């Protein structure tokens, strides 16, 4: 992936995290649904960091070429 594609994908993951964060209630999550939504927010922010910064070279590596 080139840098532009990575930034667009990272922005999409940040948007997913934002939409899911709006569904969370303030405070400590107590139900299973709230914990699952919090998990989705954390995973989507992690994926956004992976795509935007590509710290370990995972995205820019092309194993099948």
């Amino acid at each position: 992936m080139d840098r532009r594609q990575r930034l667009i994908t990272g922005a999409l993951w940040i948007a997913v995290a934002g939409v899911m964060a709006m569904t969370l209630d303030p405070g400590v999550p107590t139900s299973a649904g709230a914990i699952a939504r919090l998990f989705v927010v954390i995973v989507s922010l992690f994926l956004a960091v992976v795509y935007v910064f590509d710290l370990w070279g995972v995205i820019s590596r092309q194993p099948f070429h």
Side-chain angles (χ1 to χ4, degrees):
M1 290 182 109
D2 63 346
R3 183 162 178 81
R4 181 176 180 218
Q5 290 174 335
R6 288 193 348 247
L7 288 176
I8 290 171
T9 306
L12 288 173
W13 280 117
I14 291 172
V16 168
V19 169
M20 289 303 293
M22 287 191 298
T23 65
L24 290 172
D25 295 327
V28 178
T30 56
S31 67
I35 293 171
R37 286 192 297 267
L38 182 62
F39 178 73
V40 169
V41 169
I42 292 169
V43 168
S44 60
L45 287 176
F46 173 74
L47 287 173
V49 168
V50 168
Y51 273 97
V52 170
F53 296 113
D54 196 19
L55 298 174
W56 303 286
V58 175
I59 306 300
S60 61
R61 197 177 314 154
Q62 295 182 1
F64 300 113
H65 287 269

